[in-house]
Amino acid sequence: MNKKRNSLLTIASIVALFLFLWYASAHFNKYSIRILNDIAIFMMLAVSYNLINGVTGQFSLEPNGFTAIGAYVSSLLTLTAAQKHAMFIIVPMIHPLDTLHLPFLAALIVGGLVTALVGFILAFPVFRVRGDYLAIVTLGFGLVIRVFSNNAISVTNGPLGLKGIGAYTNLWWSWGWAVFSLIVIMRLVNSGYGRAMKAIRDDEDAAIAMGINSFKIKMIAFVTSAFFEGVAGGLLAHLITTISPTLFTFFLTFNLLIIIVVGGLGSMTGTVIATVMVVWGSELLRVVDQPMHLFSFTIPGVPGMRMILFSVLLIVIMLFAREGIMGQKEFSWNGFLNFLRHRKQK
Amino acid sequence: MLKVSNLNVYYGVIHALKGISFNVPEGKIITLIGSNGAGKSSTLKAIAGLVNTKGSIKFLGGEIAGSKAHLVSKKGIAKVPEGRKVFANLTVLENLRMGGFNRDRNTLEKGYNEVFNIFPVLKERAKQLAGTLSGGEQQMLALGRAMMSEPALLMLDEPSLGLAPKIVSEVFDIIKELNRKGMTILLVEQNAAQALKISDYGYVLENGKITLEDKASNLIVNEQVRKSYLGEM
């Protein structure tokens, strides 16, 4: 009974979300739509990052590398042969990549699959180490990808980057994928595999002693994250239409780390809330960069002021909600309805 | 049931276990006693496949030395780790579920009931996060979790660690009770007096070597053991 009601409520809220997006795509200005797209893509990145970092407890710093792979692969596939021919001015592109052309959806999926394959191969050396060492190895991987994209000019066009990528990403694509990845990852977390992931996070040796193949479980988490991060990279590339190696620095990973820590390591719904807060919030704070009139004072506009305010807000959150907004808990309809009932009774 | 011969464990240049051999016959409680750093936990880790070893470990006739740790568990050896190591952010029931990770789904319910029969307190707390249990309850959960895999051999690493004296004797009573029901137990303890009282046979480990072995009832009156491990002058 409750289960059925809860899934109906979930479906209803997804429908409501898409009705809102339908309204937004017709009535919102370009700037707002761009923010909505950003929220969806970052949500997808953060949720998949949280799977490996929060749920499985493996402190990995891989997202910028994986996003770059997904972005490059899918963009190279949607660009037409003529475009590629015109763009690769230093060194012509290697065959057969220069003539390969796929529709958007296929390109995204191939981008995700290539990233997942890289994740699969990377997992063998990466999961030989734990804790801080894991962070260092994956951080190094991000740098390798950046050096590769700068220097493998016949594949990536080097520091010139790729231009004129079709602006295919709209609200439907980004939110469709964001909702899809959220559903897949939450189902995974609530399955037997998800329990095993949490067991590994709490105590890896004990989990192995229970008969859990920890390498396999970590691999499932890592490859799933890689796939969705690759797809999100593809969506990002087709949103901003120009990509270059400088786009995928450690700063991207760092932003995602902020989001999952603010939302609560291991909490997917917390991540969703935190993404909206961080992505939208940092845009809202642009107001403070402009000159302001407070009472009779005039504050001159200081560029970068919002970053200072943003940091202060993050510190406040960490002081008062040390485990993040949601901790390790998830939003549940039961809890939400109980909360509403209690408020009515008061 | 378990026959360990000439087992060696190295941690880098440190030679932690220097060729120890011992037997665990079916249906018995065997104890390894020894001071800190004698190699007790290393022995259990070696059997569980958590560290690299040299030597032979025969379990139910098959060689398990060098097997992957998660496969050792499938063969019927369960380990209750030192310091309990329950999954703090999972509920009690989920912890038990993890214990029965490789168990047939249809018999899980039966397993829960068996565990709840021995540890009624776990039933009361089934929905609670394991991290919120008291030390004694966590030790019971760790025992129950290990039993969920229906092991042939149960290895206990310092089950008395960090527990109040009253709880310690409760835990030892439960171990004895499990053994009476037919469970073979390999026990590692610093609390030598309690451990020897419930055991059939004992080995004394010193600096990675077995220096003494005898029936537990003989060890308990052995002068050397009394001086070194039972705190008598």
Side-chain angles (χ1 to χ4, degrees), chain B:
Chain B
M1 175 182 268
L2 181 79
K3 190 174 163 57
V4 172
S5 22
N6 198 19
L7 183 68
N8 285 279
V9 169
Y10 300 86
Y11 296 116
V13 293
I14 298 163
H15 196 177
L17 281 184
K18 300 165 185 160
I20 64 165
S21 306
F22 63 93
N23 276 316
V24 183
E26 189 163 353
K28 302 284 186 204
I29 302 186
I30 305 301
T31 299
L32 303 178
I33 57 174
S35 53
N36 278 333
K40 305 185 301 293
S41 297
S42 297
T43 310
L44 293 198
K45 277 187 189 157
I47 298 169
L50 290 169
V51 291
N52 291 328
T53 58
K54 262 189 201 162
S56 147
I57 305 169
K58 283 219 162 77
F59 179 64
L60 296 170
E63 182 64 48
I64 59 163
S67 304
K68 290 239 166 77
H70 65 271
L71 298 176
V72 172
S73 144
K74 274 188 195 166
K75 285 184 178 136
I77 298 182
K79 178 172 177 252
V80 179
E82 183 176 357
R84 307 181 281 274
K85 307 256 174 90
V86 293
F87 304 124
N89 293 304
L90 298 184
T91 64
V92 168
L93 200 64
E94 283 173 327
N95 265 273
L96 295 178
R97 178 83 195 265
M98 293 325 301
F101 192 72
N102 288 315
R103 189 174 171 148
D104 177 15
R105 258 162 204 252
N106 302 317
T107 69
L108 274 174
E109 203 62 36
K110 189 174 146 248
Y112 296 146
N113 287 331
E114 281 168 7
V115 172
F116 291 151
N117 265 334
I118 305 170
F119 308 107
V121 65
L122 294 184
K123 189 170 189 178
E124 285 166 33
R125 308 204 181 269
K127 292 251 165 85
Q128 215 169 305
L129 290 185
T132 63
L133 300 180
S134 73
E137 288 163 348
Q138 288 191 12
Q139 186 64 57
M140 290 172 194
L141 178 58
L143 270 166
R145 185 180 64 179
M147 285 167 55
M148 283 298 290
S149 63
E150 299 181 292
L153 171 68
L154 189 60
M155 303 197 295
L156 305 172
D157 196 350
E158 307 239 5
S160 73
L161 189 78
L163 297 183
K166 185 169 165 278
I167 311 287
V168 171
S169 36
E170 227 174 278
V171 167
F172 277 104
D173 286 346
I174 289 163
I175 296 169
K176 186 77 203 161
E177 177 64 21
L178 284 175
N179 173 250
R180 208 182 51 75
K181 285 183 178 156
M183 181 74 76
T184 311
I185 289 168
L186 175 58
L187 180 62
V188 154
E189 254 304 334
Q190 286 207 39
N191 190 339
Q194 290 263 24
L196 288 174
K197 243 182 251 169
I198 62 164
S199 305
D200 297 292
Y201 202 84
Y203 293 84
V204 178
L205 262 175
E206 266 172 36
N207 291 325
K209 280 183 190 150
I210 288 177
T211 52
L212 193 63
E213 58 172 291
D214 207 338
K215 277 190 186 153
S217 51
N218 291 341
L219 281 181
I220 229 169
V221 294
N222 182 299
E223 195 149 327
Q224 191 200 335
V225 173
R226 292 183 79 92
K227 266 192 187 158
S228 311
Y229 302 107
L230 302 180
E232 286 182 13
M233 298 305 282

Side-chain angles (χ1 to χ4, degrees), chain A residues 170-188:
Chain A
N170 55 24
L171 287 175
W172 304 111
W173 281 108
S174 58
W175 280 94
W177 272 103
V179 169
F180 175 67
S181 63
L182 190 62
I183 292 171
V184 169
I185 289 177
M186 284 193 79
R187 291 207 62 139
L188 183 64

Side-chain angles (χ1 to χ4, degrees), chain A residues 61-117:
Chain A
L61 299 169
E62 90 296 343
N64 57 330
F66 283 176
T67 315
I69 296 173
Y72 269 101
V73 170
S74 56
S75 319
L76 286 173
L77 288 173
T78 56
L79 286 171
T80 59
Q83 272 178 308
K84 286 184 226 181
H85 192 73
M87 205 176 338
F88 280 69
I89 45 173
I90 311 176
V91 182
M93 197 178 190
I94 50 164
H95 202 72
L97 279 176
D98 59 344
T99 50
L100 217 55
H101 178 69
L102 286 177
F104 185 41
L105 178 64
L108 281 180
I109 291 175
V110 172
L113 289 177
V114 170
T115 315
L117 180 69

Side-chain angles (χ1 to χ4, degrees), chain A residues 26-339:
Chain A
H27 294 86
F28 281 20
N29 59 28
K30 261 188 156 172
Y31 174 60
S32 307
I33 288 178
R34 171 65 196 269
I35 294 173
L36 281 173
N37 275 320
D38 276 351
I39 291 175
I41 292 171
F42 268 84
M43 192 179 289
M44 204 173 154
L45 284 169
V47 163
S48 36
Y49 188 34
N50 207 350
L51 180 68
I52 187 76
N53 235 358
V55 177
T56 322
Q58 305 300 312
F59 185 38
S60 151
L61 299 169
E62 90 296 343
N64 57 330
F66 283 176
T67 315
I69 296 173
Y72 269 101
V73 170
S74 56
S75 319
L76 286 173
L77 288 173
T78 56
L79 286 171
T80 59
Q83 272 178 308
K84 286 184 226 181
H85 192 73
M87 205 176 338
F88 280 69
I89 45 173
I90 311 176
V91 182
M93 197 178 190
I94 50 164
H95 202 72
L97 279 176
D98 59 344
T99 50
L100 217 55
H101 178 69
L102 286 177
F104 185 41
L105 178 64
L108 281 180
I109 291 175
V110 172
L113 289 177
V114 170
T115 315
L117 180 69
V118 173
F120 177 77
I121 296 166
L122 185 66
F124 287 93
V126 157
F127 288 133
R128 292 183 71 89
V129 289
R130 293 183 191 176
D132 303 345
Y133 302 104
L134 179 73
I136 293 166
V137 174
T138 45
L139 180 66
F141 168 74
L143 294 174
V144 169
I145 291 296
R146 197 162 154 215
V147 171
F148 179 83
S149 49
N150 257 326
N151 291 293
I153 299 172
S154 59
V155 181
T156 64
N157 206 19
L160 291 179
L162 303 175
K163 290 185 291 270
I165 305 164
Y168 301 124
T169 304
N170 55 24
L171 287 175
W172 304 111
W173 281 108
S174 58
W175 280 94
W177 272 103
V179 169
F180 175 67
S181 63
L182 190 62
I183 292 171
V184 169
I185 289 177
M186 284 193 79
R187 291 207 62 139
L188 183 64
V189 170
N190 290 322
S191 72
Y193 287 123
R195 263 194 306 275
M197 287 170 193
K198 291 178 198 161
I200 289 172
R201 172 191 64 196
D202 282 359
D203 198 299
E204 187 162 351
D205 279 337
I208 296 169
M210 298 299 106
I212 295 167
N213 185 345
S214 77
F215 181 75
K216 184 178 135 193
I217 300 288
K218 286 194 275 192
M219 178 70 97
I220 291 171
F222 201 56
V223 169
T224 311
S225 294
F227 176 77
F228 285 119
E229 280 165 5
V231 173
L235 288 168
L236 191 64
H238 292 86
L239 179 69
I240 51 189
T241 68
T242 306
I243 56 172
S244 65
T246 48
L247 189 64
F248 306 99
T249 56
F250 180 65
F251 199 66
L252 177 69
T253 301
F254 193 63
N255 271 333
L256 292 172
L257 203 55
I258 291 175
I259 291 176
I260 64 173
V261 170
V262 166
L265 283 171
S267 171
M268 294 304 163
T269 41
T271 305
V272 171
I273 297 168
T275 313
V276 176
M277 271 179 55
V278 171
V279 177
W280 191 29
S282 65
E283 291 298 324
L284 281 182
L285 285 177
R286 275 185 199 280
V287 182
V288 300
D289 280 1
Q290 260 107 59
M292 276 184 297
H293 301 281
L294 272 182
F295 306 111
S296 52
F297 294 103
T298 304
I299 302 166
V302 184
M305 191 65 166
R306 69 187 176 112
M307 291 321 286
I308 296 175
L309 203 63
F310 190 63
S311 332
V312 172
L313 285 177
L314 283 178
I315 294 170
V316 169
I317 289 175
M318 283 299 104
L319 280 177
F320 291 99
R322 213 171 308 158
E323 298 217 297
I325 301 167
M326 298 289 281
Q328 292 192 357
K329 293 185 211 72
E330 292 288 354
F331 170 86
S332 75
W333 289 111
N334 289 344
F336 182 65
L337 292 175
N338 276 341
F339 175 75

